[in-house]
Amino acid sequence: MREHRNFEEKIKHGTAELPIAVHKLTYPKGTDMLFYLHWHKEFEILVLTEGSVIFTIEQQEYLLNPGDFVFINSNMVAILPASCL
């Protein structure tokens, strides 16, 4: 993690009372590199509702299709998503 310390996302998600945030994102087919390389102290759960996408977490790629989800633990380096198919 030391080599990635500069990639910590500084945005806090939610509040101290309710540490959760919901985001809905939509991207056109064929879009590449939608998010920057990052990590944060919170964990993430991402749910794909349509299309297909490749997520990269800790240098491992995961292909998600509608209805699939991915759990990203705290302090894990991720590029989300790497490619929209």
Side-chain angles (χ1 to χ4, degrees), residues 41-74:
K41 295 175 184 168
E42 303 91 359
F43 65 84
E44 283 183 82
I45 299 173
L46 301 165
V47 179
L48 191 66
T49 57
E50 59 184 76
S52 296
V53 71
I54 298 172
F55 288 84
T56 304
I57 304 165
E58 292 289 323
Q59 301 178 347
Q60 177 68 41
E61 290 187 344
Y62 301 91
L63 172 62
L64 274 69
N65 293 297
D68 291 342
F69 71 94
V70 62
F71 174 86
I72 306 162
N73 210 347
S74 59

Side-chain angles (χ1 to χ4, degrees), residues 9 11-15 18-24 42-46:
E9 184 176 82
I11 299 168
K12 298 297 177 197
H13 303 283
T15 65
L18 187 62
I20 189 171
V22 176
H23 304 278
K24 180 177 180 176
E42 303 91 359
F43 65 84
E44 283 183 82
I45 299 173
L46 301 165

Side-chain angles (χ1 to χ4, degrees), residues 28-47:
K29 192 176 195 177
T31 303
D32 286 331
M33 202 62 70
L34 303 175
F35 287 95
Y36 51 90
L37 175 73
H38 75 287
W39 66 274
H40 39 74
K41 295 175 184 168
E42 303 91 359
F43 65 84
E44 283 183 82
I45 299 173
L46 301 165
V47 179

Side-chain angles (χ1 to χ4, degrees), residues 3-17:
E3 65 273 7
H4 294 300
R5 69 175 173 251
N6 294 332
F7 297 111
E8 180 182 5
E9 184 176 82
K10 304 297 184 196
I11 299 168
K12 298 297 177 197
H13 303 283
T15 65
E17 295 81 26

